[in-house]
Amino acid sequence: EVQLLESGGGLLQPGGSLRLSCAASGFTFTKYAMTWVRQAPGKGLDWVSTISSSGATTHSADSVKGRFTVSRDNSKNTLYLQMNSLRAEDTAVYYCAKNWAGGYLGPYAFWGQGTLVTVSS
Amino acid sequence: DIQMTQSPSSLSASVGDRVTMTCQANQDIKKYLNWYQQKPGKAPKLLIYDASKLETGVPSRFSGGGSGTDFTLTISSLEPEDIATYYCQQYDNVPPTFGGGTKVGIK
């Protein structure tokens, strides 16, 4: 059974840093690109970052470029999102998603349950 | 960035009704369009990929159509468990972008 378990969310002040983790199980992690998508309270879905299966290629939204870094440790079956210089508008539930086989930009075949990040003073 | 526009933003229908919602891209995205279902408090779930292909395990009452810039998601006979918000997403270009969603309710 495919499982994605996000962790690391919390409440922090503007300008702070946080690292999200997504522990994957139930599939061969090294074969799939992975993606972070966020959803602000009461709003729609917003793509954040994607990383290739090997980790060699990444893309991120302009809104987070230079502040967020996506990475993965294939030996630990874990996806990460390092978030720096956080702003109030980064407040959202952050989902990790397993891309479809062979897909890089999508579709997202399976999603974790999400972790809430709240940025507030 | 490619903009995705969904309509209507919300709808109410009766159980058993045929429901259709649309998604329009502001440029040609060929067939690279996905549909996701998100129930309240839950993570999104992939329903349709490549505009018209049904994801494994998704009920056959769901169908997708279209290509280029205009796409549809149809529920042939609405069930109570279909109450959710439906999002389209293009993945033809970086950044992949989502529509604003269509919220489906029961009359």
Side-chain angles (χ1 to χ4, degrees):
Chain A
E1 179 191 6
V2 173
Q3 291 194 13
L4 296 172
L5 185 60
E6 300 97 336
S7 61
L11 171 63
L12 64 162
Q13 294 187 339
S17 296
L18 203 60
R19 188 177 81 159
L20 305 183
S21 299
C22 173
S25 61
F27 64 101
T28 306
F29 185 68
T30 55
K31 290 188 175 181
Y32 293 88
M34 298 291 293
T35 293
W36 289 99
V37 175
R38 67 185 179 183
Q39 186 170 37
K43 301 297 185 182
L45 302 171
D46 185 30
W47 171 77
V48 176
S49 295
T50 295
I51 186 168
S52 64
S53 58
S54 68
T57 302
T58 64
H59 285 83
S60 292
D62 285 347
S63 59
V64 307
K65 213 167 281 185
R67 301 188 300 124
F68 291 10
T69 302
V70 60
S71 63
R72 63 193 293 161
D73 186 337
N74 282 350
S75 69
K76 295 183 178 179
N77 287 356
T78 302
L79 173 72
Y80 301 103
L81 185 67
Q82 178 66 45
M83 310 165 67
N84 298 330
S85 302
L86 281 158
R87 306 166 180 167
E89 54 264 36
D90 296 318
T91 294
V93 173
Y94 285 74
Y95 294 101
C96 72
K98 166 183 169 285
N99 285 38
W100 208 63
Y104 180 72
L105 294 182
Y108 311 134
F110 188 85
W111 301 56
Q113 285 307 300
T115 187
L116 176 62
V117 174
T118 304
V119 184
S120 174
S121 55
Chain B
D1 296 4
I2 296 176
Q3 294 184 7
M4 307 300 294
T5 302
Q6 289 187 242
S7 62
S9 57
S10 65
L11 65 89
S12 290
S14 299
V15 172
D17 281 354
R18 182 181 184 87
V19 170
T20 297
M21 61 196 79
T22 67
C23 176
Q24 186 170 57
N26 67 350
Q27 65 185 74
D28 186 351
I29 58 169
K30 300 176 277 293
K31 65 174 183 178
Y32 300 114
L33 189 282
N34 307 312
W35 290 96
Y36 299 90
Q37 175 193 64
Q38 186 177 33
K39 296 184 178 181
K42 300 293 186 183
K45 172 188 171 184
L46 178 64
L47 294 180
I48 303 278
Y49 63 96
D50 289 353
S52 62
K53 298 178 182 176
L54 199 66
E55 173 70 334
T56 302
V58 173
S60 59
R61 64 180 179 274
F62 291 93
S63 64
S67 65
T69 60
D70 294 294
F71 301 86
T72 58
L73 175 68
T74 297
I75 308 173
S76 60
S77 179
L78 188 67
E79 297 288 340
E81 59 264 33
D82 300 334
I83 300 311
T85 300
Y86 294 84
Y87 295 95
C88 63
Q89 179 223 1
Q90 69 80 20
Y91 67 111
D92 184 49
N93 277 336
V94 177
T97 46
F98 291 90
T102 293
K103 187 173 184 178
V104 174
I106 297 285
K107 272 184 190 174

